[in-house]
Amino acid sequence: MEVNLIRVDQDYHFVAAGASGVEINIDGSPAIGGHNAGARPMELLLMGLGGCSAIDVIQILKKKRQQIDSFNINIKAERVEGEIPSLFKQIHVHFILGGPLEELKVQQAIKLSMDKYCSVAAILYKTASISYSYEVVLM
């Protein structure tokens, strides 16, 4: 796996791309001189967690012949304050799935993803407490 970052301005704005060629803007916060021109690196970690788990859950539910009409994830995280580096200490992932889904199958898929398959979760579990919840909404 390889990614490349190209600096866009004289501050902290970069454009990053991997093998897919899809570009992602990265920037620092205004507090350090960034311009909010992209996601912050720690936000990207949480986005990676959500994306990794979402792919797992969808794959598992497709194998279980479940129809997913909508899929949203909300992730909230707290970092250790006053320490450098300021790592995540707590992360909560909330899954919201819609459709004619069997709740037990959704629960199993999420558990398998978060506790076994999601590589990003496995990395983050080493430094943070990760919890998760879900809800199934009817469409």
Side-chain angles (χ1 to χ4, degrees):
M1 183 177 297
E2 181 179 337
V3 299
N4 292 291
L5 284 81
I6 298 170
R7 192 171 182 195
V8 175
D9 64 19
Q10 293 303 308
D11 294 314
Y12 304 103
H13 183 194
F14 285 82
V15 172
S20 67
V22 175
E23 294 183 343
I24 296 175
N25 286 283
I26 301 170
D27 199 0
S29 74
I32 65 163
H35 305 286
N36 277 333
R40 296 185 186 131
M42 294 298 280
E43 291 173 332
L44 289 169
L45 281 174
L46 296 178
M47 291 177 197
L49 172 62
C52 180
S53 185
I55 290 169
D56 291 341
V57 170
I58 290 168
Q59 286 181 330
I60 294 164
L61 290 176
K62 280 185 173 186
K63 288 179 184 173
K64 294 177 178 281
R65 300 180 191 271
Q66 295 294 292
Q67 177 184 323
I68 305 166
D69 293 335
S70 66
F71 194 148
N72 298 308
I73 299 175
N74 175 267
I75 302 173
K76 294 182 179 172
E78 291 180 39
R79 294 171 68 180
V80 177
E81 291 186 33
E83 288 186 17
I84 297 175
S86 179
L87 303 177
F88 290 120
K89 64 179 178 179
Q90 293 180 341
I91 300 170
H92 184 76
V93 184
H94 184 67
F95 299 83
I96 306 160
L97 288 87
L101 297 157
E102 294 177 44
E103 191 163 337
L104 182 59
K105 291 181 179 181
V106 170
Q107 181 182 27
Q108 291 169 339
I110 291 169
K111 182 171 178 40
L112 281 169
S113 173
M114 294 299 294
D115 295 342
K116 184 176 182 179
Y117 294 120
C118 178
S119 302
V120 179
I123 292 167
L124 290 171
Y125 271 126
K126 296 186 184 304
T127 61
S129 169
I130 303 176
S131 59
Y132 51 90
S133 58
Y134 72 92
E135 60 186 288
V136 176
V137 295
L138 298 175
M139 302 303 296

